[in-house]
Amino acid sequence: QVQLVESGGGVVQTGGSLRLSCACSDRAFGNYIAGWFRQAPGKEREFVAAITWNSNSIYYAGSVKGRFTISRDNAKNMVYLQMNSLKPEDTAVYYCALDFHDTLTTYDYEYDFWGRGTQVTVSS
């Protein structure tokens, strides 16, 4: 069974940076679209970024475009989210997810596997 484990969360001041990592247990990790989602207290889960298996297609939510960078290393079964210029509104639990479909999607319900999340807190 596919397992995902996020790491790299923590507390950072406004304007700071964090790098989130997601490790996948599946040998076929390279066949999946990888995405990052986040959920703030009292809000619904929202899409952050996604990347296709070969990194040919990448998509970001407008709220993070230009500040966040998603990347992956299929040889290491890893996906990353580099977060720069962090704002208090970025505070949330961040989840990585995998989608076995062949096209990039921003819909959370289309993703097949999920990690348990890592907390990111941005203080003012």
Side-chain angles (χ1 to χ4, degrees), residues 2-6 22-37 51 72 74 77-79 95-101 105 107-115:
V2 174
Q3 293 189 349
L4 302 173
V5 180
E6 302 97 334
C22 178
C24 178
S25 65
D26 197 342
R27 302 170 189 172
F29 169 78
N31 296 327
Y32 294 93
I33 292 169
W36 286 95
F37 293 79
I51 184 170
R72 67 190 297 163
N74 292 340
N77 288 7
M78 297 287 290
V79 59
Y95 301 89
C96 67
L98 299 181
D99 175 20
F100 203 61
H101 299 91
T105 179
Y107 298 110
D108 56 356
Y109 56 81
E110 293 191 350
Y111 283 76
D112 302 297
F113 306 104
W114 293 82

Side-chain angles (χ1 to χ4, degrees), residues 1-120:
Q1 185 168 312
V2 174
Q3 293 189 349
L4 302 173
V5 180
E6 302 97 334
S7 62
V11 180
V12 65
Q13 293 183 331
T14 298
S17 298
L18 285 173
R19 189 195 191 205
L20 304 184
S21 299
C22 178
C24 178
S25 65
D26 197 342
R27 302 170 189 172
F29 169 78
N31 296 327
Y32 294 93
I33 292 169
W36 286 95
F37 293 79
R38 67 187 182 185
Q39 188 167 23
K43 296 184 178 180
E44 294 184 345
R45 185 166 54 194
E46 66 172 336
F47 171 80
V48 175
I51 184 170
T52 53
W53 70 272
N54 57 4
S55 300
N56 284 347
S57 183
I58 299 174
Y59 189 76
Y60 297 96
S63 59
V64 306
K65 188 177 298 182
R67 298 188 298 121
F68 291 9
T69 302
I70 187 172
S71 61
R72 67 190 297 163
D73 187 338
N74 292 340
K76 297 181 179 179
N77 288 7
M78 297 287 290
V79 59
Y80 308 97
L81 185 69
Q82 178 67 47
M83 306 184 295
N84 299 325
S85 301
L86 284 163
K87 306 173 181 179
E89 50 263 45
D90 295 319
T91 295
V93 176
Y94 283 71
Y95 301 89
C96 67
L98 299 181
D99 175 20
F100 203 61
H101 299 91
D102 59 357
T103 56
L104 186 149
T105 179
T106 64
Y107 298 110
D108 56 356
Y109 56 81
E110 293 191 350
Y111 283 76
D112 302 297
F113 306 104
W114 293 82
R116 291 188 175 186
T118 184
Q119 177 70 49
V120 172

